[in-house]
Structure formats: C-alpha cells, structure tokens
Amino acid sequence: MELVKKSTSNILNLISACILIGMTLLCFFLWTKGIGTQGMFNIYASMNRYMPIGATIVLLLNFYRLKRDDLIWIGVAILSIIFFHQFDGLRQAGFLQDITIALIIFVVLDFKLVKFVKGMRLIFAGLMTLVLLITAYRIFTEIPEPAAGISIWDKSNKLQEIWINTNTIGSSVMCSSFLAATLLQSLEWTWAKFLKYPIYFLALACTWVVQSQAAFIAVVVFVFFDLWPNFLKEKIKWVYGIGYSVFLIGIFPLSLFLANSSNIDLFTGREDIWKHFYDTLFKVKEQFFVGMPPFTFQRGQQVLGNHNSYNATLGQFGLVGLVLMSLFILYNVWLIIVKETTQAGQLSFIIAFFAVLLQSTMEDTLMAPYWIPITFCLLGLAWQRNPEAEDTFDYSVNVFDPSEDEEFDLRPTRRNRRGY
C-alpha cells in the first residue's frame, strides 16, 4: 500500500491505539462495575454493535499498512458474513451474529497493524493492572461471607454469586492479569519484568478465592510456562505451534467423547450440557455444518449456555465456522513462530493466548463480542516486536556521503588555494 507521511502515520497510529485500548477498557468496565443497573445492562446489550464499529474504524485508519495476506483475511471475513447470512433462517440469526468471526479477524489485524510503542504499552499495562487491582479489591471486600468457620481460601467454599458471577469475574481477572504481565514483559525493562510476579500472585489468589476453576487452571498454566527462561522459551517455540495445532484439531472430537462418556467427569458437570448440545446439533444434518438456533440448557432453575467456546462456535457457525476460526489462529501462531528472530515477549503473548484457549473449554469467552477484544488482542499483540539494537549505530551507512536533503559548500577555502 502507498505510504503516508510519517507525521500523519503517527497521528493515525495514536488514534488507533487509543480506540483499541478504549475498547478493551469498555469490556473490562462491564465486569469490574457489574451489569446490575439498567445503564450498565444497556451497554452490555449494545456491545455487539460497539465492538465491530470500533474494530472497523481502526482497520480503515490503518489501511495503508495492510499487506497482501492481511487483505486476503479481510476478504475471508467479508465472505464469511455473506456465507452465514444465507443460513440465517436455519440458525435463527441476524447480521450482528453473522459478523462475529469477522470481528475476531478484524480485532487481531487491528492489534497487529497498530504500532504499540513502549510508552503506549506501558500505559496499556498500567491500565490493565489498575483493572486487576480494582477487581481484586472488590473480590476481597464484597464477596458474601462464607459459613461460619470456613475460610474464603478453603476449596470447599463454593461461591455462586458475586456482583456478576464467579466464572465471569474469574475470566476478567485472568484476562487483565495476562495483559498486564505480558505487556510489562514486552518492555524489556528490568523493573517492569519484576512487576509480573505480584501480578501472578494476585491472579492466582483471586481466581482461587472466587472458585473459578477454569480461570485458575489457565493462570497456573500461564505462570508455569511464562516463568521459563527466555532462551528456553525460544528454543522450544516449535512445541507451542504443535501444541496449538493438536489442541485445536482435537478439541471437538475430545468434547464429543467426554459428552458421551458416563464414567468421566473432568469438567464439573459440564459434560451434561455438552451431551444435550450435541444431541440437539445432530438432529438436523445442515446444522452441524453451518450452525443451529441459540442453545440453552436448563438445570433446575438455572438456564445455562454452552459453557464451551468451541461448542458455542459449532452452535453459531457449525463445522465451517470452527475450522475457519481454528485456521486463522494457527495461521497467526505459526507465522510468528517460524520467524528466526521471534522475541521472548512475543512468545509470552502466545503462551497467554493458549491459556485462554484452555479456559475456553469451560466458558464462552471466545465468541462473545464483549470478550473478543480482551481475549483475541493477545493474539494480535503477539505480532508486536521491539526494534532490534535500538540504540546501536549502523556502520553500514557512509555518514560522510551527503544525503539528498543536505548541501555542502564545495568552494575552496583560502587555505586550500595556498595548497596547505
């Protein structure tokens, strides 16, 4: 694409970064504040409009940065909208649902194209840390008091409701801690790297106290692998790509197997939900390929959703949508990994996003518009690189040759005329 002037590019980049950070803050605001009031619920209900608008604006502002592969994915996103629109009757869906996969693609491209310089990353990390601290404060001051004699740290303390619910708060803690820790590490400043340790501890403590098992396991996985030395991360980076591939290829048949197994209960009763979901999905052959009407599962007085992002994708977009989303994720991960100079900070983002994929086996965090910016931004940010040898002088440039903008006075001086 034709380049724009540097000053104009910097302004567009700043505007784009502010929009993207604003989108993530709005998502976190829902879970930090809660949706108990009518005003907050209205924001919650309108997120499927706000997020696509914001993502599209940022993409348009950075259109001059697009490369051929990016244009291809934009084309795929647009075609996906047209394709799934043809089956709206079968799926009982509308335009705002049809654009979900396109929103995922746009969000990743936005965070890939916009240059988050170190100063902007520091601000972003600071805001995510603030979100985490506010959430932690509310967890430790507003959760209902457990029964007498039971500590909030006790595993038997089953907290069903906070100001939203335990799984939502766990997901919010997980995402804010992942963003804060990875952004701080990407700065490559010693003091910033040390700040990740209290963030690890706070995330583990909060997800344990609210008993959000999926989020707690995801944080444990992230902390374990992120603590590895940078040289070791880079040495085994191919393992991350293989892990992503095996996971995304195997998640559907594994979920199907667990749903139909009467002896295995690894996901705290969610297998019952999945069994009912698959029974409903396979009733009509076309539903398996392109999606089905909205799915709910009733357990007593509770009306539950899929509690599995991959089943949610199958339900909304069928096998076509699940394959498309998986291919897009693998394309980004592998293209980052195969580069010879993949930086340690990039690998931290990849580890964090894989932890989100693990958590998504028990929650719907990948397909909801109010989660997509704060989950898939990790995949987009994995493209962000620090300049190599930023302060190193380039001796390959002949500084004694005048540039196009320089003019030298070549008239001989008096000393020269005398031959000295």
Side-chain angles (χ1 to χ4, degrees), residues 356-402:
V356 170
L357 295 185
L358 287 178
Q359 185 262 0
S360 298
T361 58
M362 298 177 69
E363 302 300 334
D364 297 344
T365 41
L366 290 184
M367 292 305 294
Y370 33 78
W371 285 111
I372 287 172
I374 57 181
T375 53
F376 277 93
C377 71
L378 289 163
L379 182 58
L381 287 168
W383 286 93
Q384 298 289 324
R385 293 177 53 84
N386 289 318
E388 297 285 349
E390 201 171 45
D391 301 321
T392 303
F393 190 84
D394 187 359
Y395 289 98
S396 65
V397 179
N398 186 351
V399 297
F400 298 102
D401 286 343

Tab-separated table of all heavy atoms in Angstrom, residues 356-402:
chain	number	residue	atom	x	y	z
A	356	VAL	N	-5.813	-18.926	27.475
A	356	VAL	CA	-7.201	-18.508	27.238
A	356	VAL	C	-7.960	-19.605	26.486
A	356	VAL	O	-9.124	-19.900	26.793
A	356	VAL	CB	-7.243	-17.186	26.446
A	356	VAL	CG1	-8.676	-16.867	25.991
A	356	VAL	CG2	-6.708	-16.035	27.282
A	357	LEU	N	-7.306	-20.220	25.506
A	357	LEU	CA	-7.947	-21.318	24.770
A	357	LEU	C	-8.290	-22.470	25.706
A	357	LEU	O	-9.345	-23.108	25.561
A	357	LEU	CB	-7.030	-21.815	23.644
A	357	LEU	CG	-6.723	-20.842	22.496
A	357	LEU	CD1	-5.906	-21.555	21.421
A	357	LEU	CD2	-7.998	-20.270	21.887
A	358	LEU	N	-7.414	-22.757	26.667
A	358	LEU	CA	-7.704	-23.812	27.638
A	358	LEU	C	-8.924	-23.437	28.488
A	358	LEU	O	-9.820	-24.259	28.691
A	358	LEU	CB	-6.496	-24.028	28.551
A	358	LEU	CG	-5.275	-24.726	27.960
A	358	LEU	CD1	-4.169	-24.808	29.004
A	358	LEU	CD2	-5.629	-26.128	27.473
A	359	GLN	N	-8.932	-22.196	28.978
A	359	GLN	CA	-10.060	-21.753	29.801
A	359	GLN	C	-11.363	-21.791	29.014
A	359	GLN	O	-12.445	-22.011	29.574
A	359	GLN	CB	-9.778	-20.339	30.315
A	359	GLN	CG	-10.798	-19.790	31.288
A	359	GLN	CD	-11.823	-18.886	30.627
A	359	GLN	OE1	-11.771	-18.658	29.423
A	359	GLN	NE2	-12.721	-18.349	31.416
A	360	SER	N	-11.270	-21.611	27.716
A	360	SER	CA	-12.466	-21.556	26.870
A	360	SER	C	-13.127	-22.909	26.678
A	360	SER	O	-14.230	-22.980	26.125
A	360	SER	CB	-12.105	-20.958	25.498
A	360	SER	OG	-11.642	-19.629	25.648
A	361	THR	N	-12.480	-23.982	27.140
A	361	THR	CA	-13.146	-25.285	27.101
A	361	THR	C	-14.299	-25.333	28.095
A	361	THR	O	-15.184	-26.196	27.991
A	361	THR	CB	-12.160	-26.419	27.435
A	361	THR	OG1	-11.596	-26.191	28.736
A	361	THR	CG2	-11.059	-26.501	26.404
A	362	MET	N	-14.310	-24.397	29.062
A	362	MET	CA	-15.352	-24.398	30.091
A	362	MET	C	-16.172	-23.116	30.117
A	362	MET	O	-17.107	-23.002	30.905
A	362	MET	CB	-14.718	-24.628	31.466
A	362	MET	CG	-14.015	-25.979	31.591
A	362	MET	SD	-13.195	-26.227	33.189
A	362	MET	CE	-14.600	-26.373	34.277
A	363	GLU	N	-15.822	-22.153	29.286
A	363	GLU	CA	-16.560	-20.891	29.242
A	363	GLU	C	-16.693	-20.420	27.798
A	363	GLU	O	-15.997	-20.903	26.905
A	363	GLU	CB	-15.860	-19.808	30.082
A	363	GLU	CG	-15.673	-20.173	31.553
A	363	GLU	CD	-16.971	-20.434	32.287
A	363	GLU	OE1	-18.016	-19.891	31.868
A	363	GLU	OE2	-16.959	-21.185	33.286
A	364	ASP	N	-17.565	-19.415	27.574
A	364	ASP	CA	-17.848	-18.928	26.212
A	364	ASP	C	-17.043	-17.676	25.864
A	364	ASP	O	-17.527	-16.805	25.141
A	364	ASP	CB	-19.344	-18.621	26.073
A	364	ASP	CG	-20.212	-19.854	26.241
A	364	ASP	OD1	-19.664	-20.969	26.161
A	364	ASP	OD2	-21.420	-19.707	26.462
A	365	THR	N	-15.822	-17.567	26.361
A	365	THR	CA	-15.072	-16.316	26.252
A	365	THR	C	-14.531	-16.020	24.857
A	365	THR	O	-14.040	-14.919	24.626
A	365	THR	CB	-13.890	-16.316	27.242
A	365	THR	OG1	-13.272	-17.615	27.241
A	365	THR	CG2	-14.353	-16.012	28.651
A	366	LEU	N	-14.589	-16.947	23.928
A	366	LEU	CA	-14.031	-16.691	22.598
A	366	LEU	C	-15.040	-16.125	21.610
A	366	LEU	O	-14.645	-15.508	20.620
A	366	LEU	CB	-13.448	-17.983	22.008
A	366	LEU	CG	-12.169	-18.535	22.638
A	366	LEU	CD1	-11.703	-19.756	21.861
A	366	LEU	CD2	-11.070	-17.486	22.699
A	367	MET	N	-16.329	-16.314	21.854
A	367	MET	CA	-17.318	-15.969	20.836
A	367	MET	C	-18.211	-14.795	21.184
A	367	MET	O	-18.995	-14.352	20.354
A	367	MET	CB	-18.202	-17.190	20.539
A	367	MET	CG	-17.482	-18.328	19.843
A	367	MET	SD	-16.673	-17.828	18.309
A	367	MET	CE	-18.099	-17.430	17.314
A	368	ALA	N	-18.117	-14.265	22.389
A	368	ALA	CA	-18.981	-13.152	22.790
A	368	ALA	C	-18.312	-11.826	22.460
A	368	ALA	O	-17.130	-11.643	22.763
A	368	ALA	CB	-19.283	-13.232	24.287
A	369	PRO	N	-19.031	-10.882	21.838
A	369	PRO	CA	-18.423	-9.591	21.452
A	369	PRO	C	-17.820	-8.827	22.616
A	369	PRO	O	-16.866	-8.075	22.434
A	369	PRO	CB	-19.614	-8.822	20.852
A	369	PRO	CG	-20.570	-9.866	20.404
A	369	PRO	CD	-20.432	-10.987	21.377
A	370	TYR	N	-18.354	-9.012	23.835
A	370	TYR	CA	-17.809	-8.296	24.991
A	370	TYR	C	-16.588	-9.003	25.574
A	370	TYR	O	-16.005	-8.517	26.544
A	370	TYR	CB	-18.885	-8.114	26.077
A	370	TYR	CG	-19.888	-9.232	26.166
A	370	TYR	CD1	-19.581	-10.436	26.786
A	370	TYR	CD2	-21.157	-9.084	25.611
A	370	TYR	CE1	-20.487	-11.463	26.864
A	370	TYR	CE2	-22.093	-10.112	25.687
A	370	TYR	CZ	-21.749	-11.301	26.316
A	370	TYR	OH	-22.657	-12.326	26.389
A	371	TRP	N	-16.187	-10.136	25.014
A	371	TRP	CA	-14.948	-10.808	25.408
A	371	TRP	C	-13.897	-10.786	24.302
A	371	TRP	O	-12.687	-10.808	24.584
A	371	TRP	CB	-15.216	-12.261	25.801
A	371	TRP	CG	-15.857	-12.447	27.133
A	371	TRP	CD1	-17.125	-12.884	27.395
A	371	TRP	CD2	-15.275	-12.188	28.427
A	371	TRP	NE1	-17.376	-12.910	28.739
A	371	TRP	CE2	-16.254	-12.494	29.403
A	371	TRP	CE3	-14.027	-11.730	28.842
A	371	TRP	CZ2	-16.017	-12.349	30.772
A	371	TRP	CZ3	-13.785	-11.590	30.200
A	371	TRP	CH2	-14.771	-11.896	31.151
A	372	ILE	N	-14.315	-10.766	23.057
A	372	ILE	CA	-13.385	-10.903	21.932
A	372	ILE	C	-12.226	-9.903	21.983
A	372	ILE	O	-11.062	-10.293	21.806
A	372	ILE	CB	-14.147	-10.808	20.589
A	372	ILE	CG1	-14.956	-12.092	20.380
A	372	ILE	CG2	-13.195	-10.589	19.409
A	372	ILE	CD1	-15.894	-12.058	19.194
A	373	PRO	N	-12.455	-8.588	22.239
A	373	PRO	CA	-11.316	-7.659	22.264
A	373	PRO	C	-10.290	-7.963	23.347
A	373	PRO	O	-9.104	-7.664	23.169
A	373	PRO	CB	-11.974	-6.294	22.492
A	373	PRO	CG	-13.365	-6.458	21.994
A	373	PRO	CD	-13.742	-7.868	22.336
A	374	ILE	N	-10.709	-8.537	24.486
A	374	ILE	CA	-9.767	-8.760	25.577
A	374	ILE	C	-9.217	-10.184	25.611
A	374	ILE	O	-8.398	-10.507	26.472
A	374	ILE	CB	-10.386	-8.390	26.948
A	374	ILE	CG1	-11.671	-9.156	27.213
A	374	ILE	CG2	-10.639	-6.902	27.012
A	374	ILE	CD1	-12.326	-8.812	28.556
A	375	THR	N	-9.654	-11.018	24.688
A	375	THR	CA	-9.039	-12.339	24.549
A	375	THR	C	-8.188	-12.389	23.281
A	375	THR	O	-7.006	-12.716	23.336
A	375	THR	CB	-10.103	-13.446	24.516
A	375	THR	OG1	-11.088	-13.154	23.509
A	375	THR	CG2	-10.804	-13.577	25.860
A	376	PHE	N	-8.763	-12.008	22.148
A	376	PHE	CA	-8.036	-12.101	20.885
A	376	PHE	C	-6.990	-10.995	20.717
A	376	PHE	O	-6.134	-11.094	19.841
A	376	PHE	CB	-9.014	-12.096	19.708
A	376	PHE	CG	-9.599	-13.447	19.427
A	376	PHE	CD1	-10.811	-13.821	19.989
A	376	PHE	CD2	-8.932	-14.365	18.630
A	376	PHE	CE1	-11.354	-15.075	19.751
A	376	PHE	CE2	-9.464	-15.621	18.381
A	376	PHE	CZ	-10.686	-15.977	18.939
A	377	CYS	N	-7.033	-9.953	21.551
A	377	CYS	CA	-5.984	-8.935	21.464
A	377	CYS	C	-4.627	-9.542	21.804
A	377	CYS	O	-3.588	-9.089	21.303
A	377	CYS	CB	-6.284	-7.752	22.378
A	377	CYS	SG	-6.112	-8.078	24.137
A	378	LEU	N	-4.609	-10.589	22.634
A	378	LEU	CA	-3.346	-11.253	22.969
A	378	LEU	C	-2.704	-11.859	21.722
A	378	LEU	O	-1.481	-11.819	21.555
A	378	LEU	CB	-3.593	-12.345	24.013
A	378	LEU	CG	-3.932	-11.855	25.426
A	378	LEU	CD1	-4.547	-12.988	26.240
A	378	LEU	CD2	-2.698	-11.299	26.118
A	379	LEU	N	-3.530	-12.414	20.836
A	379	LEU	CA	-3.008	-12.989	19.595
A	379	LEU	C	-2.490	-11.891	18.676
A	379	LEU	O	-1.444	-12.040	18.041
A	379	LEU	CB	-4.104	-13.797	18.903
A	379	LEU	CG	-3.717	-14.521	17.606
A	379	LEU	CD1	-2.568	-15.487	17.836
A	379	LEU	CD2	-4.919	-15.263	17.023
A	380	GLY	N	-3.207	-10.766	18.610
A	380	GLY	CA	-2.738	-9.656	17.791
A	380	GLY	C	-1.473	-9.020	18.334
A	380	GLY	O	-0.547	-8.680	17.580
A	381	LEU	N	-1.398	-8.859	19.659
A	381	LEU	CA	-0.221	-8.245	20.286
A	381	LEU	C	1.016	-9.121	20.149
A	381	LEU	O	2.144	-8.630	20.289
A	381	LEU	CB	-0.501	-7.961	21.757
A	381	LEU	CG	-1.446	-6.795	22.047
A	381	LEU	CD1	-1.880	-6.798	23.510
A	381	LEU	CD2	-0.787	-5.458	21.694
A	382	ALA	N	0.830	-10.408	19.907
A	382	ALA	CA	1.981	-11.296	19.709
A	382	ALA	C	2.796	-10.899	18.478
A	382	ALA	O	3.953	-11.322	18.336
A	382	ALA	CB	1.509	-12.745	19.578
A	383	TRP	N	2.227	-10.092	17.598
A	383	TRP	CA	2.958	-9.592	16.428
A	383	TRP	C	3.857	-8.405	16.771
A	383	TRP	O	4.710	-8.031	15.963
A	383	TRP	CB	1.981	-9.178	15.325
A	383	TRP	CG	1.351	-10.326	14.605
A	383	TRP	CD1	0.159	-10.927	14.887
A	383	TRP	CD2	1.882	-11.020	13.476
A	383	TRP	NE1	-0.089	-11.941	14.004
A	383	TRP	CE2	0.944	-12.022	13.124
A	383	TRP	CE3	3.047	-10.882	12.720
A	383	TRP	CZ2	1.157	-12.886	12.054
A	383	TRP	CZ3	3.253	-11.753	11.660
A	383	TRP	CH2	2.313	-12.742	11.333
A	384	GLN	N	3.654	-7.789	17.925
A	384	GLN	CA	4.417	-6.587	18.270
A	384	GLN	C	5.873	-6.946	18.587
A	384	GLN	O	6.144	-7.805	19.407
A	384	GLN	CB	3.790	-5.894	19.479
A	384	GLN	CG	2.370	-5.396	19.256
A	384	GLN	CD	2.315	-4.199	18.316
A	384	GLN	OE1	3.199	-3.350	18.324
A	384	GLN	NE2	1.257	-4.135	17.524
A	385	ARG	N	6.785	-6.254	17.933
A	385	ARG	CA	8.211	-6.500	18.127
A	385	ARG	C	8.905	-5.216	18.591
A	385	ARG	O	8.520	-4.116	18.188
A	385	ARG	CB	8.880	-6.963	16.827
A	385	ARG	CG	8.425	-8.325	16.342
A	385	ARG	CD	9.074	-8.663	15.007
A	385	ARG	NE	10.516	-8.540	15.062
A	385	ARG	CZ	11.340	-9.487	15.505
A	385	ARG	NH1	10.847	-10.639	15.926
A	385	ARG	NH2	12.635	-9.306	15.517
A	386	ASN	N	9.923	-5.390	19.416
A	386	ASN	CA	10.775	-4.265	19.766
A	386	ASN	C	11.856	-4.112	18.696
A	386	ASN	O	12.352	-5.113	18.175
A	386	ASN	CB	11.436	-4.486	21.127
A	386	ASN	CG	10.432	-4.372	22.262
A	386	ASN	OD1	9.586	-3.502	22.259
A	386	ASN	ND2	10.512	-5.279	23.222
A	387	PRO	N	12.223	-2.878	18.346
A	387	PRO	CA	13.275	-2.678	17.346
A	387	PRO	C	14.560	-3.370	17.761
A	387	PRO	O	14.947	-3.331	18.936
A	387	PRO	CB	13.454	-1.152	17.320
A	387	PRO	CG	12.178	-0.609	17.864
A	387	PRO	CD	11.692	-1.616	18.863
A	388	GLU	N	15.193	-4.031	16.816
A	388	GLU	CA	16.456	-4.702	17.105
A	388	GLU	C	17.557	-3.674	17.292
A	388	GLU	O	17.695	-2.748	16.478
A	388	GLU	CB	16.830	-5.650	15.954
A	388	GLU	CG	15.843	-6.773	15.739
A	388	GLU	CD	15.965	-7.843	16.801
A	388	GLU	OE1	16.957	-7.793	17.556
A	388	GLU	OE2	15.082	-8.710	16.882
A	389	ALA	N	18.364	-3.831	18.333
A	389	ALA	CA	19.505	-2.960	18.588
A	389	ALA	C	19.112	-1.502	18.400
A	389	ALA	O	19.669	-0.773	17.593
A	389	ALA	CB	20.669	-3.329	17.673
A	390	GLU	N	18.133	-1.083	19.176
A	390	GLU	CA	17.509	0.228	19.004
A	390	GLU	C	18.511	1.375	19.050
A	390	GLU	O	18.420	2.341	18.323
A	390	GLU	CB	16.465	0.413	20.101
A	390	GLU	CG	15.422	1.446	19.801
A	390	GLU	CD	14.306	1.412	20.834
A	390	GLU	OE1	14.602	1.326	22.046
A	390	GLU	OE2	13.138	1.457	20.428
A	391	ASP	N	19.518	1.269	19.933
A	391	ASP	CA	20.457	2.356	20.119
A	391	ASP	C	21.820	2.083	19.494
A	391	ASP	O	22.798	2.764	19.773
A	391	ASP	CB	20.654	2.640	21.620
A	391	ASP	CG	19.347	3.007	22.291
A	391	ASP	OD1	18.560	3.730	21.648
A	391	ASP	OD2	19.104	2.577	23.434
A	392	THR	N	21.884	1.053	18.662
A	392	THR	CA	23.158	0.691	18.066
A	392	THR	C	23.397	1.496	16.795
A	392	THR	O	22.507	1.623	15.959
A	392	THR	CB	23.190	-0.815	17.736
A	392	THR	OG1	22.929	-1.532	18.939
A	392	THR	CG2	24.534	-1.210	17.161
A	393	PHE	N	24.624	2.000	16.632
A	393	PHE	CA	24.948	2.783	15.441
A	393	PHE	C	25.129	1.863	14.262
A	393	PHE	O	25.767	0.814	14.360
A	393	PHE	CB	26.243	3.569	15.686
A	393	PHE	CG	26.530	4.584	14.599
A	393	PHE	CD1	25.948	5.840	14.631
A	393	PHE	CD2	27.355	4.255	13.543
A	393	PHE	CE1	26.211	6.753	13.638
A	393	PHE	CE2	27.615	5.182	12.556
A	393	PHE	CZ	27.041	6.434	12.597
A	394	ASP	N	24.574	2.223	13.130
A	394	ASP	CA	24.656	1.423	11.908
A	394	ASP	C	25.870	1.865	11.100
A	394	ASP	O	25.836	2.878	10.419
A	394	ASP	CB	23.367	1.574	11.085
A	394	ASP	CG	23.345	0.630	9.891
A	394	ASP	OD1	24.335	-0.111	9.719
A	394	ASP	OD2	22.350	0.646	9.153
A	395	TYR	N	26.933	1.087	11.162
A	395	TYR	CA	28.169	1.460	10.467
A	395	TYR	C	28.117	1.113	8.985
A	395	TYR	O	29.062	1.403	8.256
A	395	TYR	CB	29.359	0.739	11.113
A	395	TYR	CG	29.686	1.282	12.486
A	395	TYR	CD1	29.226	0.635	13.622
A	395	TYR	CD2	30.434	2.445	12.632
A	395	TYR	CE1	29.505	1.129	14.884
A	395	TYR	CE2	30.726	2.939	13.891
A	395	TYR	CZ	30.265	2.288	15.017
A	395	TYR	OH	30.552	2.785	16.255
A	396	SER	N	27.034	0.493	8.554
A	396	SER	CA	26.932	0.184	7.130
A	396	SER	C	26.585	1.420	6.313
A	396	SER	O	26.657	1.416	5.098
A	396	SER	CB	25.862	-0.897	6.905
A	396	SER	OG	24.586	-0.398	7.262
A	397	VAL	N	26.192	2.492	6.997
A	397	VAL	CA	25.837	3.732	6.311
A	397	VAL	C	27.057	4.632	6.271
A	397	VAL	O	27.720	4.859	7.281
A	397	VAL	CB	24.678	4.445	7.037
A	397	VAL	CG1	24.345	5.747	6.328
A	397	VAL	CG2	23.458	3.539	7.092
A	398	ASN	N	27.377	5.159	5.116
A	398	ASN	CA	28.509	6.076	4.969
A	398	ASN	C	28.044	7.476	5.348
A	398	ASN	O	27.404	8.174	4.565
A	398	ASN	CB	29.014	6.049	3.523
A	398	ASN	CG	30.285	6.875	3.355
A	398	ASN	OD1	30.690	7.594	4.275
A	398	ASN	ND2	30.913	6.757	2.192
A	399	VAL	N	28.360	7.869	6.586
A	399	VAL	CA	27.866	9.152	7.084
A	399	VAL	C	28.549	10.329	6.421
A	399	VAL	O	28.122	11.471	6.570
A	399	VAL	CB	28.062	9.245	8.613
A	399	VAL	CG1	27.253	8.186	9.311
A	399	VAL	CG2	29.541	9.126	8.984
A	400	PHE	N	29.622	10.049	5.677
A	400	PHE	CA	30.345	11.137	5.039
A	400	PHE	C	29.775	11.485	3.671
A	400	PHE	O	30.152	12.468	3.059
A	400	PHE	CB	31.830	10.781	4.907
A	400	PHE	CG	32.491	10.576	6.232
A	400	PHE	CD1	32.746	9.298	6.706
A	400	PHE	CD2	32.817	11.663	7.032
A	400	PHE	CE1	33.338	9.116	7.937
A	400	PHE	CE2	33.411	11.473	8.270
A	400	PHE	CZ	33.670	10.201	8.726
A	401	ASP	N	28.875	10.631	3.183
A	401	ASP	CA	28.204	10.962	1.923
A	401	ASP	C	27.010	11.833	2.221
A	401	ASP	O	26.185	11.496	3.071
A	401	ASP	CB	27.712	9.675	1.233
A	401	ASP	CG	28.874	8.901	0.631
A	401	ASP	OD1	29.945	9.512	0.468
A	401	ASP	OD2	28.695	7.695	0.359
A	402	PRO	N	26.884	12.981	1.559
A	402	PRO	CA	25.735	13.851	1.829
A	402	PRO	C	24.443	13.192	1.397
A	402	PRO	O	24.400	12.470	0.405
A	402	PRO	CB	26.034	15.088	0.967
A	402	PRO	CG	26.941	14.598	-0.107
A	402	PRO	CD	27.777	13.515	0.506
